């Protein structure tokens, strides 16, 4: 049956998600369970997306260590990757790992099934894998395995990289090596009917205390973290400049917008416990992901959240209305009485820090 087309906002435009029917999602999971044990062992050790036992944190951690070892990074991004995967090349890759006729039959049907918009219009498809489908991740990973990972192993075996879906970080010893690699990858992507996003693809100099000189790009984003020179402290308490990741400004802005959308100051009908119950899961998710590296980058974000909670206190209790300082003090007393109520209080950002 047709795949329901849903557009979700993203930076610089929208992303198309294809939502299959429930019956198709169940069938796709059956195919994934057949393919995954066969395909996953073949994947490159530095491929981290959509794989059991692999995570974005592992990719970021590996990239951090290698940025200390290599002076230059080629930051790659494939343009409209999920929407431009070639069906013929993808089916060729799938047939290398299975000869099950029913698996091949259904995958080919899922690739060709049209999109259906909310107005009921059908859009024919002759390329791409729907994001939002159960089987999409493993198919996309298999395509990039042959388009990029395996090619890098054969042709550029001296260069290490980390790849998460269509985002890849390649580590080079010199600027000239990074430029040669970029030119070679552009040709390789063209062979696989893909193209690099020229705006997002760039060569970066991993500048720190020991690396002198300058270059126009001295930072890059990878999986929600910005890698750049940062002030750090070693185990002896001495400060130094270190090239490392922390929550990106884009991620911080997105979380800040999400927190503003909660409109805490208008929820005076709720108790503080109600608010914690409503939003702790999201707060814990942010903390669990972004506090892994340079967690102090999150402190200003949660201090702003405490101010919003203080605004809620000011509207909730008449005795502190139009008295911001008193509202903050009252929130501080509430925090001392129940310091584990909010996830960011447990994280260590409490009203007393305002």
């Amino acid at each position: 049956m047709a795949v329901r087309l849903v557009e979700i906002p993203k930076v610089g435009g929208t992303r198309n998600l294809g939502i299959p029917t429930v019956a198709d999602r169940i069938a796709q999971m059956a195919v994934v369970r057949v393919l995954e044990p066969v395909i996953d062992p073949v994947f490159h050790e530095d491929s981290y997306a959509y794989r059991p036992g692999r995570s974005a944190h592992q990719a970021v951690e590996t990239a951090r260590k290698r940025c200390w070892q290599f002076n230059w990074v080629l930051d790659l991004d494939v343009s409209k990757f999920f929407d431009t995967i070639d069906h013929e090349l993808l089916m060729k890759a799938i047939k290398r790992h299975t000869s099950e006729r029913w698996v091949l039959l259904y995958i080919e049907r899922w690739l060709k099934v049209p999109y259906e918009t909310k107005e009921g219009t059908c859009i024919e498809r002759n390329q791409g894998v729907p994001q939002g489908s159960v089987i999409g991740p493993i198919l996309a990973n298999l395509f990039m395995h042959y388009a990029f990972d395996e090619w890098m192993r054969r042709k550029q075996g001296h260069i290490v990289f980390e790849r998460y879906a269509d985002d890849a970080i390649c580590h080079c010893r010199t600027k000239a090596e990074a430029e040669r690699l970029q030119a070679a990858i552009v040709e390789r992507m063209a062979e696989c009917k893909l193209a690099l996003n020229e705006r997002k693809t760039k060569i970066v100099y991993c500048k720190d205390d020991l690396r002198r000189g300058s270059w126009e790009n001295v930072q890059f984003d990878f999986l929600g973290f910005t890698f750049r020179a940062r002030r750090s402290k070693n185990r002896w308490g001495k400060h130094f400049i270190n090239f490392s990741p922390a929550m990106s400004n884009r991620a911080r802005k997105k979380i800040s917008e999400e927190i503003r959308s909660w409109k805490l100051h208008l929820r005076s009908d709720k108790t503080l416990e109600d608010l914690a119950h409503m939003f702790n899961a999201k707060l814990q998710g942010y903390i669990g992901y972004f506090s892994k590296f340079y967690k102090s980058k999150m402190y200003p974000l949660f201090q702003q959240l405490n101010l919003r909670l203080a605004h809620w206190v000011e509207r909730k209790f008449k005795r502190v209305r139009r008295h911001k300082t008193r509202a903050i003090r009252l929130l501080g007393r509430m925090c001392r009485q129940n310091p584990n109520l909010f996830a960011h209080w447990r994280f260590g950002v409490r009203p007393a820090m305002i």
Side-chain angles (χ1 to χ4, degrees):
M1 296 180 67
V3 174
R4 182 161 55 91
L5 181 63
V6 178
E7 293 184 348
I8 61 172
K10 72 169 187 176
V11 178
T14 59
R15 174 179 285 117
N16 291 333
L17 292 186
I19 311 299
T21 63
V22 173
D24 275 333
R25 289 203 294 271
I26 294 171
Q28 287 180 15
M29 179 55 70
V31 173
V32 168
R33 292 194 173 190
V34 170
L35 290 179
E36 192 172 69
V38 177
I39 294 178
D40 191 75
V42 176
F43 287 156
H44 195 281
E45 62 179 349
D46 284 317
S47 170
Y48 293 92
Y50 319 128
R51 298 181 61 189
R54 299 297 180 103
S55 70
H57 281 160
Q58 291 175 331
V60 174
E61 176 64 31
T62 303
R64 180 177 71 156
K65 291 178 180 178
R66 288 173 175 169
C67 284
W68 298 339
Q69 300 169 4
F70 298 90
N71 291 355
W72 296 86
V73 155
L74 175 58
D75 178 17
L76 298 171
D77 184 271
V78 180
S79 178
K80 299 180 180 178
F81 170 61
F82 279 87
D83 296 331
T84 56
I85 292 176
D86 185 78
H87 289 173
E88 184 178 347
L89 292 176
L90 177 56
M91 290 304 301
K92 182 179 178 181
I94 295 168
K95 289 174 182 177
R96 296 189 63 172
H97 299 280
T98 183
S99 58
E100 290 281 358
R101 293 180 61 189
W102 68 274
V103 170
L104 298 174
L105 172 67
Y106 274 104
I107 289 178
E108 194 161 10
R109 287 181 179 177
W110 288 322
L111 291 176
K112 293 180 179 179
V113 69
Y115 282 137
E116 182 178 331
T117 66
K118 60 182 179 181
E119 292 83 12
T121 305
C122 283
I123 302 174
E124 296 298 323
R125 297 172 50 244
N126 54 23
Q127 63 180 0
V129 173
Q131 287 182 269
S133 64
V134 175
I135 200 169
I138 194 170
L139 296 183
N141 229 6
L142 181 63
F143 191 91
M144 279 301 286
H145 171 73
Y146 287 108
F148 182 77
D149 302 352
E150 186 65 13
W151 176 83
M152 285 288 291
R153 185 189 65 81
R154 290 186 289 105
K155 302 293 186 178
Q156 309 287 343
H158 61 291
I159 293 178
V160 294
F161 66 90
E162 304 83 39
R163 182 180 65 81
Y164 197 94
D166 57 330
D167 293 330
I169 304 298
C170 302
H171 302 269
C172 301
R173 292 174 175 81
T174 65
K175 174 188 169 187
E177 184 179 60
E179 290 173 337
R180 288 194 298 270
L181 177 63
Q182 182 174 0
I185 291 176
V186 168
E187 292 183 6
R188 175 58 181 172
M189 292 296 104
E191 292 174 0
C192 300
K193 302 181 182 180
L194 297 173
L196 294 182
N197 186 321
E198 295 182 3
R199 183 176 61 86
K200 293 184 178 180
T201 297
K202 58 185 177 180
I203 296 173
V204 179
Y205 183 49
C206 304
K207 192 171 183 179
D208 60 17
D209 266 346
L210 302 178
R211 292 164 176 159
R212 304 301 179 185
S214 61
W215 177 250
E216 60 179 321
N217 296 318
V218 291
Q219 67 178 43
F220 65 90
D221 285 0
F222 185 49
L223 301 179
F225 293 91
T226 296
F227 285 71
R228 65 171 178 82
R230 301 182 188 279
R231 193 166 185 257
S232 305
K233 184 188 293 186
N234 62 21
R235 55 184 171 179
W236 297 285
K238 184 179 179 180
H239 288 92
F240 65 102
I241 302 300
N242 178 31
F243 194 86
S244 58
M247 180 177 62
S248 69
N249 288 337
R250 180 182 296 176
R252 181 193 56 77
K253 182 180 178 181
K254 187 176 180 180
I255 295 173
S256 180
E257 290 173 352
E258 170 70 17
I259 291 175
R260 283 200 301 272
S261 73
W262 297 346
K263 300 185 185 301
L264 295 177
H265 63 290
L266 300 180
R267 298 178 182 268
S268 55
D269 59 318
K270 307 293 185 184
T271 66
L272 199 61
E273 290 74 14
D274 290 335
L275 297 180
H277 180 74
M278 291 167 64
F279 302 116
N280 262 349
K282 286 192 174 182
L283 292 174
Q284 190 57 56
Y286 299 145
I287 293 169
Y289 188 76
F290 289 107
S291 68
K292 179 70 174 178
F293 305 97
Y294 217 86
K295 65 181 183 180
S296 60
K297 185 75 172 178
M298 302 192 74
Y299 292 166
L301 186 67
F302 290 141
Q303 287 168 354
Q304 288 298 316
L305 175 56
N306 282 337
L307 286 173
R308 291 184 177 279
L309 287 172
H311 193 184
W312 172 87
V313 170
E314 192 177 346
R315 291 175 64 96
K316 177 77 171 178
F317 302 101
K318 290 182 179 180
R319 66 181 183 275
V320 296
R321 193 161 294 171
R322 291 186 294 276
H323 292 280
K324 186 175 181 180
T325 303
R326 293 181 186 177
I328 292 174
R329 289 173 183 168
L330 179 55
L331 182 64
R333 289 199 295 272
M334 293 177 173
C335 176
R336 286 191 293 273
Q337 293 170 0
N338 194 350
N340 295 321
L341 183 60
F342 282 93
H344 69 291
W345 291 358
R346 298 194 295 269
F347 183 58
V349 186
R350 297 176 179 173
M353 297 177 63
I354 296 177

